[in-house]
Amino acid sequence: MDIRLNGVSKSFGDQLAIDHVGFTINSGDICCLLGPSGSGKTTLIRLMIGALAADKGSIQIGETIMPNMSMLHNIGFMPQNDGLYDDLSAEANLEFFGSIYKLGKTTLQQRITEVLTLVDLTADRKKLVRNFSGGMKKRLSLAIAILHQPDVLFLDEPTVGIDPILRRQIWDQFQAIRASGTTIVVSTHVMDEVLECDRAALIYNGRLIAYDTVPHLLDQTENGRVEELFLIAGREGGTDHA
Amino acid sequence: MRNLAKRVIFQTLNDKRSVALILIAPLLILTLVYFLLGDSDYVPVVVLDENAQTQLVEAFEAETLDVRLDTVDNPFGYLEDNKDVDAIFEATQEGTTITLREPSTKSSKAVREIQAALSALNPAADIEMNYVYGEEGQSTFDSFGYVFLSLFSFFFVFILSAMALVKERSGGTLERLLMTPIKRGQVILGYTLGYGVFAVVQSVFIVLYTIYVLGLTSLGNIGWVFLVMILMAGTAVLFGATISVFARSELQVVQMIPFTIIPQVFFSGLIPLDLIPYGLGNLSYIMPIFYGATAIKEVMVYGSGFSGIWVYVLGLIVYAGILYLLNMRALGKYRGH
């Protein structure tokens, strides 16, 4: 499913958080929302999911205009702070979220086995989450987000606070999920992670300052450093890529 | 909704402290209250003049008093010097004087026993007190025990639900939950049902323990007491959920207790509302514990049935309904639709 944003703006009181942002994420792509902390990445994700309504403009996932309750069946979401029940086991967390999607007992157990294998937590399925390491929590959080096989997956800063080896493993898992046809939107402030994506949207002060394929974006730099993109695009000002 | 309730139950069971808070803490505190406010076997020490008439001394000794004979020139100084003495009784031509250390339950007990001794000497002065409900000389626990039933059924469930929901907000689980196709009403009712199960068990524990172990009497059917306590606990879940909206951490929930719970204690029946000046007693109508405590008093003290408590039950239901709507509104901020 593709995602289309048309001139989206959102304010909180006097604060303009998202300023006339427009671009299209192609179906099956990994799109990176790249920008420094506080640039508006999380707000943009919350708008795309439908957790917030835009003040101006529109957001469409496939043919559905967001926010839309029934579209939540097709959306997977991994929040920044994991969103796990510490007093439950990994399996019980998955069973609970799976039951909300009404997966059916057999399908749910099958999917739990599949996602735990994917995130390499099969041996830890009975352990209470409060005994998990930070990395294990991230992987379980990802497993919950993909449990119901969503068409679109939103990952809010999934690798923040994660060591480089685990980060590599997590990105491998994203690539595996993408291979099944899922569109992935991932926010990050780690510049190098843009290299893992098909396209990147550069967000700065709530504005879209560049959106293109990663090779095209890197072609615009002198030294091939992602940070330069912010400097270059910042000089050019925000653009609408819808 | 059932799945959410099931999750709340399993999650709470996995946290032993929460289970202890709900099931053991109320019984422990009720037991303490029972001993603190129950019948005391304390024997007050009263000093009589050593030249007092034998008849007077015998009358005093016939009561639950430790009678000492001594010469007292300065009662105030004597009490200062003799910390174990509660009262000094002096009968002269001018009249009778009782000097006490300070206004306290010990002093009250000493005065009661002295009055009983004087009544024995002069039966015409013996005043018989009759009460429509309760009896003379019943302990403070017998008089106010019902208040603690409603207080505890509300307070511990409130603490548990407010803390749990603050944790859900700060930990991102509530945000994640509301990014699934679950309906907001299902979320609120799921939590209420989940904690409601603990509330039912807690109510059974508290009521049976209070009546059959601590000996608090109930004139009415304790089934109505169960009903009120379960409604109270359900309201407490919603009250806790509402308070959690305004708290960013568990600490902030604790900081709100003096503003939200402690005032309710004073309007729960410990103090007669018509004694509270400036019409402040009317504040009780905005306090859920008032409805629960009054209904429980109606059943346990006055022996009322449903006809005597329906107004308060309705009050609790309306209160819970308002809190439900407030929570629906609060959860709306997680969804743009």
Side-chain angles (χ1 to χ4, degrees):
Chain A
M1 272 184 182
D2 59 355
I3 304 166
R4 277 169 283 167
L5 291 89
N6 300 303
V8 175
S9 295
K10 178 70 186 174
S11 297
F12 298 105
D14 297 336
Q15 185 81 36
L16 184 61
I18 298 295
D19 184 7
H20 199 72
V21 169
F23 62 100
T24 299
I25 301 168
N26 296 326
S27 182
D29 267 6
I30 296 185
C31 174
C32 187
L33 302 180
L34 187 68
S37 295
S39 57
K41 304 185 295 294
T42 297
T43 304
L44 203 51
I45 283 189
R46 289 170 62 80
L47 283 162
M48 285 193 255
I49 295 172
L52 292 172
D55 297 334
K56 287 180 191 167
S58 66
I59 297 167
Q60 247 178 290
I61 298 182
E63 297 305 315
T64 307
I65 294 170
M66 299 300 287
N68 181 286
M69 182 82 175
S70 58
M71 181 48 78
L72 293 175
H73 285 280
N74 301 320
I75 287 176
F77 173 54
M78 180 177 167
Q80 209 173 95
N81 44 5
D82 298 333
L84 302 171
Y85 297 106
D86 283 353
D87 296 321
L88 294 180
S89 67
E91 192 175 48
N93 268 278
L94 286 159
E95 279 173 350
F96 169 61
F97 282 104
S99 68
I100 296 173
Y101 291 101
K102 298 185 171 36
L103 289 183
K105 211 170 180 179
T106 315
T107 313
L108 178 58
Q109 287 308 319
Q110 189 187 329
R111 280 298 296 157
I112 288 174
T113 305
E114 285 170 11
V115 294
L116 285 174
T117 307
L118 182 74
V119 299
D120 196 20
L121 283 175
T122 306
D124 303 294
R125 63 191 293 165
K126 300 283 184 194
K127 281 187 190 166
L128 290 183
V129 171
R130 62 170 173 243
N131 299 322
F132 275 22
S133 68
M136 289 163 84
K137 285 183 180 178
K138 285 279 176 209
R139 285 184 278 151
L140 178 60
S141 182
L142 176 63
I144 291 170
I146 60 172
L147 183 65
H148 58 295
Q149 294 179 294
D151 294 321
V152 189
L153 183 59
F154 293 92
L155 310 165
D156 193 4
E157 302 261 13
T159 56
V160 71
I162 295 292
D163 66 69
I165 297 168
L166 186 59
R167 186 182 297 168
R168 179 66 264 150
Q169 288 173 1
I170 286 179
W171 271 104
D172 287 344
Q173 285 158 0
F174 295 164
Q175 297 293 356
I177 295 162
R178 193 269 293 270
S180 65
T182 306
T183 308
I184 300 178
V185 181
V186 52
S187 72
T188 181
H189 63 268
V190 180
M191 300 293 166
D192 292 346
E193 289 190 337
V194 77
L195 301 172
E196 303 281 348
C197 304
D198 300 302
R199 286 172 183 266
L202 275 56
I203 314 290
Y204 189 70
N205 280 343
R207 296 169 64 212
L208 179 71
I209 56 175
Y211 179 64
D212 210 332
T213 61
V214 174
H216 278 170
L217 286 170
L218 290 175
D219 281 347
Q220 297 168 36
T221 66
E222 288 177 16
N223 302 315
R225 289 168 61 88
V226 186
E227 291 87 336
E228 285 180 57
L229 294 170
F230 276 92
L231 299 171
I232 295 165
R235 282 197 295 270
E236 290 172 357
T239 47
D240 194 331
H241 297 260
Chain B
M1 187 174 83
R2 265 187 308 162
N3 290 318
L4 201 154
K6 206 169 113 185
R7 195 265 296 162
V8 168
I9 292 166
F10 281 121
Q11 203 182 348
T12 309
L13 286 175
N14 280 337
D15 182 10
K16 301 289 177 275
R17 287 180 188 83
S18 292
V19 176
L21 179 75
I22 282 282
L23 301 181
I24 298 172
L27 303 192
L28 189 72
I29 297 175
L30 271 169
T31 309
L32 276 173
V33 169
Y34 170 76
F35 284 116
L36 291 171
L37 301 182
D39 283 326
S40 165
D41 53 4
Y42 179 73
V43 180
V45 178
V46 178
V47 172
L48 293 178
D49 189 89
E50 59 185 353
N51 298 319
Q53 293 175 358
T54 314
Q55 202 183 3
L56 181 71
V57 177
E58 283 172 357
F60 270 61
E61 284 173 342
E63 302 300 328
T64 316
L65 287 170
D66 179 356
V67 182
R68 294 182 193 172
L69 301 175
D70 206 346
T71 305
V72 180
D73 296 325
N74 173 8
F76 283 69
Y78 190 91
L79 284 173
E80 283 291 334
D81 296 338
N82 299 276
K83 302 291 184 195
D84 59 329
V85 175
D86 295 298
I88 295 168
F89 181 86
E90 296 167 291
T92 59
Q93 296 292 331
E94 287 78 35
T96 302
T97 307
I98 302 173
T99 308
L100 298 149
R101 179 174 302 286
E102 61 188 341
S104 70
T105 48
K106 281 165 76 177
S107 300
S108 302
K109 185 160 188 183
V111 170
R112 268 204 311 276
E113 296 297 331
I114 291 169
Q115 281 173 335
L118 295 177
S119 299
L121 285 173
N122 179 14
D126 187 13
I127 301 169
E128 188 184 327
M129 308 282 273
N130 292 315
Y131 297 86
V132 179
Y133 302 104
E135 57 193 40
E136 189 179 3
Q138 71 179 24
S139 71
T140 315
F141 183 77
D142 289 332
S143 302
F144 293 109
Y146 69 90
V147 171
F148 297 102
L149 295 187
S150 54
L151 269 182
F152 293 158
S153 66
F154 191 89
F155 183 62
F156 292 108
V157 176
F158 161 80
I159 288 281
L160 187 68
S161 77
M163 295 283 187
L165 283 159
V166 163
K167 201 174 156 192
E168 292 235 6
R169 283 175 208 279
S170 59
T173 44
L174 194 61
E175 184 188 18
R176 172 165 234 161
L177 186 60
L178 288 160
M179 285 303 101
T180 68
I182 198 167
K183 292 189 173 81
R184 281 183 286 169
Q186 289 178 318
V187 173
I188 299 162
L189 292 177
Y191 280 113
T192 310
L193 191 63
Y195 290 117
V197 168
F198 289 99
V200 171
V201 178
Q202 186 201 52
S203 301
V204 172
F205 266 55
I206 292 181
V207 172
L208 295 183
Y209 185 77
T210 312
I211 290 177
Y212 294 108
V213 179
L214 302 183
L216 191 68
T217 49
S218 174
L219 282 183
N221 185 341
I222 59 167
W224 297 124
V225 178
F226 282 129
L227 172 77
V228 174
M229 285 183 68
I230 290 163
L231 269 175
M232 281 281 282
T235 312
V237 174
L238 293 164
F239 195 78
T242 311
I243 293 302
S244 76
V245 174
F246 304 100
R248 286 184 185 164
S249 66
E250 282 98 329
L251 174 67
Q252 289 188 355
V253 172
V254 175
Q255 287 170 334
M256 286 192 202
I257 288 175
F259 301 100
T260 55
I261 299 294
I262 293 179
Q264 295 199 58
V265 173
F266 300 110
F267 290 84
S268 59
L270 284 174
I271 302 163
L273 294 176
D274 42 10
L275 289 185
I276 303 172
Y278 309 119
L280 289 174
N282 291 322
L283 283 174
S284 59
Y285 296 112
I286 60 164
M287 300 183 183
I289 290 180
F290 162 76
Y291 295 98
T294 312
I296 290 174
K297 183 179 184 181
E298 281 285 338
V299 177
M300 294 187 77
V301 180
Y302 304 145
S304 302
F306 189 71
S307 60
I309 61 168
W310 73 270
V311 177
Y312 306 106
V313 168
L314 184 67
L316 273 178
I317 292 171
V318 169
Y319 210 102
I322 293 168
L323 292 172
Y324 173 83
L325 294 175
L326 283 174
N327 275 287
M328 282 286 279
R329 197 177 163 81
L331 291 184
K333 77 165 190 173
Y334 290 93
R335 282 186 177 160
H337 46 90

